Amino acid sequence: MTSKLQTPIDYLKGVGPNRADLLRKELGIHTYQDLLNLFPNRYIDRTRYYKINQLQQSNADVQVIGKITAFKEVEQKRGKRLVATFQDDTGVMELVWFRGQKWIRDNLKLNTTYVVFGKTNWFSGKFNMPHPEVELQEEHENNLRSAMQPVYPSTEKLSNRGITNRIIIKIIQELFLETGGRFSETLSDPLRSELKLIGKSDALFNVHFPKSQELLAKAQFRLKFEELFYIQFQLIIKNLVHKAKIKGFPFDHVGSYFTNFFSNHLPFELTNAQKRVLKEIRADLGSNAQMNRLLQGDVGSGKTIVAFMSMLMALDNGFQACLMAPTEILSVQHYNGLLEFCNKLNISVQILTGSSKTSERKKIHAALESGELQVLIGTHALLEDKVKFKNLGLAIIDEQHRFGVAQRSKLWHKNTSPPHVLVMTATPIPRTLAMSVYGDLDISVIDELPAGRKPIKTVHRYDKNRLNVFKFIRDEITKGRQIYIVYPLIQESEALDYKDLMDGYESISRDFPMPKYQISIVHGKMKPADKDFEMQRFIKGETQIMVATTVIEVGVNVPNASVMIIESAERFGLSQLHQLRGRVGRGAEQSYCILMTGHKLSDDSKTRLATMVRTSDGFEIAEVDLRLRGPGDLMGTQQSGVLNLKIADIIKDKDILQSARFHAKKLLKEDSKLSKPENKVVLDTYRDLSKYKNIWNYIS
Ligand code: ADP
Ligand code: MG
């Protein structure tokens, strides 16, 4: 059966070399199997017919029965259009073609009863239907196998070359005829009965030619489950194989660095979530396998201390550790924060960034190679070839989304064996997405903020209320607080954005004059040293207002800053807004986030702003973001292949995804070699999928 489905599409009746070529190029359909897995986008009720005098000005697809009574060609700016007069006993409308006119003239006959199908437009007193699907009435009736007719994905080229939806339906019918509509089962009996899944052949038939709404729903459910199940299955196997193959350094020793820090220097009680995550990390580090863990935690959830305590586990076992951050400012802040702890514990620590001097670099390189240096913190500079560790045991990467996979793996190669890797991200990835994209990583989540944090009050204000906002700023400064004012900076409009930033800075300087008020300004065009100088002034409390572009987005920690004003907030994405807001609310005082916008807002902008005002839960925000932007955009092109699903939808079908993952895990736990007879079908399907590469498309 499988081999039959691998037959090239050219051999199917009604497909010929030209069509085969188009199907390959336009839809990636090479084999019978691919065609079978071309699932409809939607379904249309084709038992309903409209009379011409019943047509409405809506954009619904409609069917009309009638006859063509005349053709005419109309000259227009570019080329001509072909117009047919189409009539029934209630009125007249027009059918219009801008392309493929010769084929129409050669094939459609006057005064013959046709069923036409498509969207209608109202134009100079008449309805017209551009590029309708046209069928002879008797053919139409013969073809009408089910009330719900599938609408398949198409491309402009396909419809231009006459491969209409009608034709696709026909060749799929042909495929069912040739194969007898019987396809091998691909899920095990126990799974099917537990989840009440209909059989494979039934599902495929009903997804293409639904006999009823109910059967269509069952067919879709079964096929979505199957698709997600095998992706999860694959990812979990990848993870297991990785664990079995790549040996890590077992950190089995609980040493004095960790215990000393825990008992004597920990500045606060860990949250339960931090404790749980540390346990997960410890379990990984203590095993023989190399850790590959993603640590998700909202801004301010306290990832740094978890990172530091994980490093102590490495040090206690005689290994070095490193922490890599995406920006210089953030590296410095990590370094300054951890320096104090390191000094107390007598740990040698250094920072390495793009602006480290050559003489310092040389010292650091030497101390790393000799093993004298235990902890290295820095930026991408850590990835340079000259940076060689004596024995790197743990690499921690902060703010993962800024580093590519290739860069991550570069750290692997700094050693004879790969170090354990902990990737930390403050951009919560919706669980469903994380499961698919990072299904091969282990995931830990800090889902709790340290006690005593006051929720940040978030409001949306229009530009015309700026004076009130300024008054509010003045009051907060009087109370001793500090203020961020952030401007968007987007590459495409960089020059204009800089102008906005500078204009804003000027007007703020006028409203908040020296010497009473001091203002810092930080943006990407400044030299790193100047940026740092301005940043430090703000951190030390010498300036009350920080005017900046998004360079402050990541990580800076100024607990006394209590107000975040985001200018042109409608131009920021949700995750960016959330990150920016996370800069405040770090101290004991009530904090505020003010989203400033102009009056005209798109629907998406309104949703983003309303979401920010409503919630500060990063996961909830990420879910909205996913819905607004779609998965590909959210994760970057790099990983979008992962989400190239045929029938399931990662957002709408997240319950099915969860169930698929659960069952894939359970199966591999109960029968890890798939040796039970009832699981042979899963093994065979998995092998087929790997053999024919289908599933690999999903994975990087
Ligand atoms: P993020 O997860 O955003 O990197 P940080 O690690 O910078 O968060 O922590 C934010 C702030 O919360 C820091 O000032 C840190 O010292 C503090 N913090 C972390 N954990 C706790 C805790 N359990 N209790 C109180 N404060 C904590
Ligand atoms: Mg952080």
Side-chain angles (χ1 to χ4, degrees), residues 62-115:
V62 293
Q63 315 190 86
V64 185
I65 302 173
K67 292 177 179 169
I68 296 173
T69 52
F71 280 111
K72 66 175 180 224
E73 278 176 359
V74 182
E75 293 290 340
Q76 52 184 44
K77 256 195 209 127
R78 262 184 265 154
K80 350 172 234 226
R81 64 175 189 267
L82 179 66
V83 178
T85 309
F86 190 71
Q87 244 175 277
D88 70 3
D89 51 3
T90 69
V92 179
M93 62 185 275
E94 288 182 339
L95 311 177
V96 185
W97 292 269
F98 300 93
R99 308 169 298 263
Q101 297 165 1
K102 181 170 175 348
W103 190 90
I104 300 292
R105 285 307 283 266
D106 291 350
N107 286 276
L108 297 189
K109 298 182 194 75
L110 294 178
N111 300 315
T112 308
T113 309
Y114 286 113
V115 178

Side-chain angles (χ1 to χ4, degrees), residues 125 197 215 220 254 286 291 326 408 440 444 463 583 639 673:
L197 301 172
L215 274 166
Q220 287 175 324
V254 179
M291 176 172 79
R408 246 198 286 159
D440 59 333
S444 290
D463 286 335
R583 297 309 108 216
Q639 280 128 337
K673 297 231 152 52

Side-chain angles (χ1 to χ4, degrees), residues 272-373:
N272 287 329
Q274 285 170 320
K275 286 183 195 159
R276 187 188 66 239
V277 164
L278 270 169
K279 260 190 211 142
E280 288 165 358
I281 293 172
R282 154 151 284 162
D284 273 10
L285 296 178
S287 79
N288 280 318
Q290 181 228 357
M291 176 172 79
N292 242 322
R293 188 169 280 279
L294 180 71
L295 173 58
Q296 287 199 53
D298 216 336
V299 218
S301 62
K303 293 183 292 295
T304 317
I305 202 80
V306 170
F308 181 67
M309 292 175 78
S310 309
M311 289 176 150
L312 295 182
M313 297 179 201
L315 268 50
D316 273 332
N317 286 272
F319 287 93
Q320 295 166 302
C322 71
L323 169 58
M324 189 163 79
T327 64
E328 172 134 11
I329 290 172
L330 189 54
S331 308
V332 170
Q333 203 157 58
H334 274 318
Y335 175 73
N336 290 337
L338 298 184
L339 183 60
E340 194 188 328
F341 295 147
C342 286
N343 285 342
K344 283 183 183 149
L345 297 171
N346 238 331
I347 291 169
S348 54
V349 56
Q350 286 292 343
I351 178 164
L352 182 71
T353 69
S355 53
S356 303
K357 293 198 186 72
T358 315
S359 56
E360 280 170 47
R361 270 168 201 265
K362 280 196 177 140
K363 273 192 217 149
I364 290 174
H365 293 163
L368 264 189
E369 282 198 67
S370 73
E372 192 188 316
L373 182 57

Side-chain angles (χ1 to χ4, degrees), residues 662-674:
F662 171 82
H663 285 284
K665 263 192 173 160
K666 185 161 150 244
L667 181 60
L668 281 165
K669 203 167 180 187
E670 288 168 0
D671 186 12
S672 63
K673 297 231 152 52
L674 298 182

